[in-house]
Amino acid sequence: MKAKAGDRIVVESERAGQPARTGVIEEVVSGEPPRYRVRWDDRHTSTFTPSSGAAQIKKAVGAKRS
């Protein structure tokens, strides 16, 4: 699934017992490999490149996909 600005991202923790990290994609910086500018729920912002299978993208409510 391709991510767009406004979509939510959920990244599973690499450590057992730690919660997943969640945030909102503010910008798609690059499509290949995918790089996103994410505002995390803790209010920090970073550029994130997900590794294979490490992130789930949940499309924004009401968003249309082309």
Side-chain angles (χ1 to χ4, degrees):
M1 174 188 290
K2 299 250 181 188
K4 293 187 177 181
D7 289 348
R8 292 209 39 93
I9 188 166
V10 179
V11 181
E12 296 301 322
S13 174
E14 294 180 358
R15 297 181 187 153
Q18 294 290 326
R21 190 170 191 198
T22 59
V24 175
I25 296 172
E26 292 190 333
E27 177 185 7
V28 177
V29 178
S30 171
E32 238 359 272
R35 294 180 66 208
Y36 310 118
R37 186 167 48 89
V38 179
R39 174 152 320 268
W40 300 102
D41 290 347
D42 67 3
R43 299 185 183 213
H44 287 92
T45 301
S46 65
T47 301
F48 179 74
T49 303
S51 59
S52 181
Q56 295 177 24
I57 305 296
K58 299 185 180 207
K59 69 180 181 176
V61 177
K64 290 185 178 182
R65 299 280 177 182
S66 48

